[in-house]
């Protein structure tokens, strides 16, 4: 039973101040009024507690009761997470819909994981084995892709005295452990506070890329497994499409997608698409390795903060099983707006543009929970969480506080350009503004796994794009006729890199994803054409004749070559050499 510990003194939107809360602690979960609205204590002064309420507070007034649970905001972890769709405080939306209809009723309660469903538990330890926190005692095959490890909870170690295979609910005892304090029982259900990161043995420096299949990212601005990246851009520049593409095609084992204050139709797209899309590695529906947290813009503002923490805690749980997890947060700007609103209602001293002074530290707390780590347990397992956050700066102004605070933390910046988006160039990642600080760390892996020429080709093409930027200024001022033949060839090659390589159609069956091997072959075609063109210019061939070569159309259409038909690139290479040979006579 909840114990009445206080009374409402003041209501200010999602902020409620209650008196008589002297026994409460920071970040304890409380229930407000007889409707049991869920809230969290975010400030304590004497016996007064400021409570951030995660539901609509209309009609709540002074004098109403506040019930304390005595526990911090926590998530339920166990079999049943995969393929689930939750709101920001981990209430399953399908269960809520059955209970309250299409709109979420106030005070509705629902268990995050089913207590009735039975799971087939298969032990991996036996009676007499010694176990420590983080060790796997068995597993549940959650679906035909995900093997869900059941791990020893924190603070528990000893000798297995009883364990058996069978069908169990998540609350049934599946294992008994003899400890110094007596017999302890383990169930498949764990509860974990969301604001505190799950422990690990050590963090490891990232050195393996998270392959996304998006050429502009994998080639020029790669992200490492366990890395952090941000995708800032103005309205309509394609942030959500980029996030969707990464969620669909990144070679992570598990995807946690957090819609933080986004429009409902964008989350609807995810809900409609993911069950239909096939995972390229397993051939199964993408939803079978995805957890969705939908906190849309018409839900209470305060729950945006909870949704971010809920998502990262679930990601850490799967990381501790040894999985590579990617969490997409769309968008952290909406979370920052919630922080700004709560800070204003708490009458705190505002920072830049009204955001709280602790904005940077809150963002850092989220992103630093990403990383590649040696997880707890005796088996030396490695797991990773890669965090990718979209930022929605008002008017596309990248100098605003949320973008700048994020840039000081992350190591990959995929800056989206409205001018590229208006020209229908997607992904609209601006290659002159964006950067990745992982490129050097990934160089050894790239050389070994993709090819020794990968890094030199990438740098060569980036240099051509930068040269194009300078030449465009001259063309705008005095016209293209003022350029020499070598510069005109450079412009044509840069155009080929932009339109044939960097432009990628997310809705095309083949072009939506490109393997690293295919990306390398595409780059080699473009660079071969350019190098042979420079050689032809030295032999007095007219640049217009080079530009008019028929093989250029085949280079442009190479992106639509299926992964199983990469031999086609050998044919195009031969045609390029032949057409240059014919040109030189």
């Amino acid at each position: 039973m909840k114990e009445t510990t206080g009374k409402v003194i003041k209501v200010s939107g999602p902020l409620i101040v209650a008196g008589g809360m002297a026994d409460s602690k920071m970040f304890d979960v409380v229930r407000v009024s007889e409707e049991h609205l869920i809230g969290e204590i975010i400030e304590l002064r004497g016996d007064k507690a400021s409570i951030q309420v995660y539901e609509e507070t209309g009609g709540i007034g002074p004098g109403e009761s506040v019930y304390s649970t005595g526990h911090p905001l926590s998530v339920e972890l166990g079999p049943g997470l995969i393929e689930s769709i939750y709101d920001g405080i981990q209430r399953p939306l399908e269960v809520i819909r059955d209970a309250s209809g299409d709109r979420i009723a106030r005070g509705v309660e629902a268990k995050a994981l089913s207590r009735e469903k039975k799971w087939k538990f298969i032990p991996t330890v036996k009676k007499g084995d010694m176990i420590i926190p983080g060790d796997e005692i068995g597993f549940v095959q959650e679906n035909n892709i995900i093997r869900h490890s059941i791990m020893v909870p924190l603070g528990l170690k000893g000798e297995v005295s009883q364990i058996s295979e069978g069908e169990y609910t998540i609350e049934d005892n599946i294992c008994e452990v003899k400890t110094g304090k007596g017999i302890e029982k383990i169930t498949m259900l764990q509860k974990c506070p969301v604001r505190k990161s799950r422990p690990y043995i050590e963090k490891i420096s990232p050195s393996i890329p998270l392959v996304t299949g998006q050429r502009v990212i994998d080639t020029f601005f790669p992200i490492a497994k366990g890395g952090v990246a941000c995708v800032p851009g103005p309205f309509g520049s394609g942030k959500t499409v980029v996030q969707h593409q990464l969620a669909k095609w990144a070679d992570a084992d598990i995807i946690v997608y957090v819609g933080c204050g986004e429009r409902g139709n964008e989350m609807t797209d995810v809900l409609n698409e993911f069950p239909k899309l096939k995972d390229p590695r397993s051939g199964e529906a993408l939803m079978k390795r995805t957890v969705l947290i939908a906190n849309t813009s018409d839900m209470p503002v305060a729950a945006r903060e909870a949704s971010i923490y809920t998502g990262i805690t679930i990601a850490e749980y799967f990381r501790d099983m040894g999985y590579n997890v990617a969490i997409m947060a769309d968008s952290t700007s909406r979370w920052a707006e919630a922080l700004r609103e709560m800070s204003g209602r708490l009458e705190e001293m505002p920072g830049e543009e009204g955001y709280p002074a602790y904005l940077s530290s809150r963002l850092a707390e989220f992103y630093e929970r990403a990383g590649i780590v040696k997880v707890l347990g005796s088996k030396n397992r490695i797991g990773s969480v890669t965090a990718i956050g979209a930022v929605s700066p008002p008017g596309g102004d990248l100098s605003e506080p949320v973008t700048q605070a994020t840039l000081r933390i992350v190591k990959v910046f995929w800056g989206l350009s409205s001018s590229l988006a208006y020209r229908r160039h997607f992904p609209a990642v601006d290659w002159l503004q964006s950067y990745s600080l992982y490129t050097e760390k990934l160089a050894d892996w790239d050389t070994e796994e993709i090819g020794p020429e990968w890094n030199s080709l990438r740098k060569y093409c980036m240099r051509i794009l930068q040269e194009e930027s300078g030449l465009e200024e001259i063309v705008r001022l005095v016209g293209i006729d003022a350029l020499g033949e070598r510069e005109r060839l450079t412009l044509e090659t840069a155009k080929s890199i932009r339109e044939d390589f960097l432009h990628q159609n997310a809705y095309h069956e083949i072009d939506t994803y490109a393997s690293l091997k295919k990306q390398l072959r595409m780059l080699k075609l473009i660079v071969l054409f350019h190098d042979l063109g420079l050689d032809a210019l030295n032999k007095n061939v007219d640049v217009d004749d080079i530009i008019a070569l028929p093989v250029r159309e085949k280079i442009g259409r190479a992106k639509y070559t299926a992964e199983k038909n990469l031999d086609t690139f050998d044919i195009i290479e031969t045609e390029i050499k032949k057409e240059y040979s014919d040109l030189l006579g």
Side-chain angles (χ1 to χ4, degrees):
M1 279 292 292
K2 302 179 183 71
E3 183 185 348
T4 305
T5 57
K7 298 285 183 185
V8 174
I9 298 171
K10 171 186 169 186
V11 180
S12 174
L15 176 72
I16 281 179
V17 179
M21 305 287 287
D23 295 335
S24 300
K25 302 185 293 293
M26 277 289 284
F27 303 122
D28 273 2
V29 172
V30 299
R31 295 286 181 171
V32 177
S33 84
E34 297 310 314
E35 290 189 72
H36 286 185
L37 309 187
I38 190 167
E40 184 183 22
I41 296 173
I42 56 172
E43 185 179 81
L44 283 168
R45 291 186 183 179
D47 74 335
K48 290 181 183 173
S50 297
I51 299 163
Q52 176 173 262
V53 181
Y54 293 132
E55 301 184 69
E56 178 58 50
T57 58
I60 303 297
E64 300 212 36
S65 299
V66 175
Y67 301 91
S68 175
T69 64
H71 300 291
L73 186 65
S74 301
V75 289
E76 293 186 349
L77 302 170
L81 281 172
I82 297 293
E83 299 184 62
S84 293
I85 305 156
Y86 296 112
D87 72 352
I89 46 180
Q90 214 203 4
R91 295 180 299 186
L93 291 179
E94 289 186 16
V95 176
I96 293 175
R97 183 189 60 195
D98 294 341
S100 68
D102 290 344
R103 309 295 295 181
I104 299 176
R106 294 203 307 181
V108 65
E109 292 188 50
K111 299 289 187 184
L113 299 172
S114 169
R115 300 305 199 260
E116 288 78 40
K117 184 169 182 179
K118 292 199 169 185
W119 299 91
K120 171 87 170 176
F121 172 72
I122 300 169
T124 52
V125 296
K126 59 186 184 301
K127 187 176 178 179
D129 286 351
M130 297 300 294
I131 55 174
I132 61 172
D135 276 351
E136 180 186 272
I137 58 168
F139 68 92
V140 164
Q141 197 66 42
E142 194 159 347
N143 57 40
N144 48 2
I145 302 176
I146 301 302
R147 180 186 186 273
H148 192 120
S149 293
I150 308 301
M151 297 171 290
V152 180
L154 294 176
L156 181 63
K157 63 178 181 178
E159 181 187 331
V160 177
S161 60
Q162 171 97 28
I163 190 166
S164 57
E165 183 177 327
E167 301 266 336
Y168 299 101
T169 69
I170 59 171
E171 291 184 308
D172 290 338
N173 293 327
I174 54 170
C175 177
E176 292 183 1
V177 183
K178 196 185 295 177
T179 70
K181 298 176 184 175
I183 298 292
E184 297 277 350
K185 295 178 179 179
I186 299 177
T187 69
M188 289 191 272
L189 174 67
Q190 291 188 21
K191 291 193 177 180
C192 185
V194 298
R195 289 182 179 270
K196 190 177 176 185
S197 62
R198 286 173 64 91
Y200 50 83
I201 295 172
E202 67 170 308
K203 214 165 213 180
I204 300 165
S205 181
S207 59
I208 300 171
L210 182 77
V211 180
T212 66
Q214 310 308 298
R215 292 187 287 269
V216 66
I217 291 172
D218 290 342
T219 303
F220 293 128
F221 312 111
I223 181 171
K225 281 181 180 170
V228 286
C230 74
V231 193
F235 177 78
S237 59
K239 292 184 296 297
T240 302
V241 173
V242 169
Q243 291 270 49
H244 286 194
Q245 285 296 94
L246 296 176
K248 290 172 193 172
W249 305 117
D251 68 337
D253 302 312
I254 308 277
I255 299 293
V256 180
Y257 192 98
V258 183
C260 177
E262 286 302 290
R263 291 176 295 281
N265 62 319
E266 293 178 353
M267 285 309 297
T268 305
D269 285 346
V270 176
L271 297 176
N272 286 337
E273 282 182 25
F274 277 37
K276 296 176 190 169
L277 284 166
K278 292 284 183 284
D279 181 349
R281 292 182 300 169
S282 66
E284 297 288 339
L286 271 172
M287 200 66 199
K288 290 197 171 182
R289 61 181 179 97
T290 303
V291 181
L292 291 177
I293 295 163
N295 181 259
T296 54
S297 51
D298 66 338
M299 291 180 179
V301 166
R304 294 176 187 177
E305 184 177 17
S307 67
I308 291 284
Y309 288 120
T310 297
I312 195 75
T313 307
I314 291 172
E316 287 175 335
Y317 174 65
F318 285 109
R319 173 205 72 190
D320 290 350
M321 296 180 196
Y323 284 122
N324 294 307
V325 187
I327 176 170
M328 315 291 167
D330 188 11
S331 96
T332 55
S333 292
R334 308 279 178 259
W335 169 31
E337 286 165 10
L339 288 178
R340 178 166 62 182
E341 177 168 342
M342 294 308 298
S343 176
R345 293 182 185 277
L346 286 167
E347 299 176 7
E348 295 173 335
M349 182 70 76
E352 194 178 352
E353 290 188 24
Y355 287 101
Y358 47 79
L359 172 66
S360 293
S361 63
R362 287 288 177 87
L363 286 167
E365 280 173 16
F366 167 68
Y367 283 110
E368 74 182 5
R369 289 173 71 170
I372 182 164
V373 302
K374 189 182 286 185
V375 302
L376 293 179
S378 52
K379 290 273 180 81
N380 277 335
R381 290 172 299 162
I382 304 290
S384 70
V385 172
T386 308
I388 300 164
V391 184
S392 311
D397 176 17
L398 299 185
S399 65
E400 59 90 40
V402 182
T403 309
Q404 289 303 308
T406 306
L407 287 183
R408 286 193 286 271
I409 301 159
V410 301
K411 293 193 173 183
V412 179
F413 169 62
W414 297 318
L416 300 183
S417 159
S418 55
S419 63
L420 284 174
Y422 291 148
R423 299 206 301 264
R424 295 294 182 266
H425 179 107
F426 290 104
V429 175
D430 189 328
W431 47 87
L432 299 175
Q433 273 193 328
S434 304
Y435 62 81
S436 170
L437 301 182
Y438 292 115
T439 308
E440 296 305 318
K441 290 186 176 184
L442 302 176
D444 291 344
W445 188 94
D446 291 340
T447 300
E448 194 174 317
E449 299 293 331
I450 310 172
E453 68 271 65
W454 174 259
N455 286 299
S456 56
L457 280 173
R458 185 178 52 73
K459 288 174 183 172
Y460 189 70
C461 289
M462 182 53 81
R463 191 164 63 247
I464 289 172
L465 289 170
Q466 288 166 343
E467 282 178 30
E468 179 200 33
S469 178
L471 292 172
E472 279 180 337
E473 290 291 323
I474 299 170
V475 171
R476 273 197 291 270
L477 289 170
V478 291
I480 198 164
D481 295 334
L483 296 180
E485 293 201 325
R486 290 177 70 88
E487 285 78 16
R488 284 186 62 195
L489 180 62
T490 298
L491 283 180
E492 285 298 320
T493 304
K495 181 183 176 186
S496 182
I497 295 169
R498 285 190 286 106
E499 296 181 2
D500 305 337
F501 186 79
L502 295 179
H503 181 275
Q504 194 165 353
N505 186 346
Y507 299 103
H508 189 279
E509 185 183 357
I510 292 171
D511 195 35
T512 186
Y513 176 89
S515 66
L516 292 176
K517 197 168 283 187
K518 181 177 173 181
Q519 293 179 40
L520 175 65
R521 299 302 301 269
M522 290 173 71
L523 279 184
K524 285 171 82 171
L525 287 184
I526 294 167
V527 170
L528 176 65
F529 185 90
H530 182 72
D531 287 346
L532 291 178
L534 290 175
D535 183 57
L537 288 178
N538 290 334
K539 294 174 180 171
N540 298 320
V541 174
D542 191 275
V543 70
D544 289 322
D545 292 336
I546 294 172
I547 293 169
L549 286 175
V551 77
R552 288 197 68 207
E553 185 182 343
K554 291 192 176 177
I555 295 172
R557 296 196 61 78
K559 64 168 100 174
Y560 302 119
T561 304
E563 296 288 342
K564 61 184 179 184
N565 298 330
L566 294 186
D567 293 347
T568 307
F569 286 89
D570 295 326
I571 299 167
I572 300 173
E573 269 186 36
T574 306
E575 286 189 39
I576 292 171
K577 290 171 183 173
K578 182 179 183 305
E579 289 192 11
Y580 269 111
S581 176
D582 293 345
L583 200 61
L584 293 169

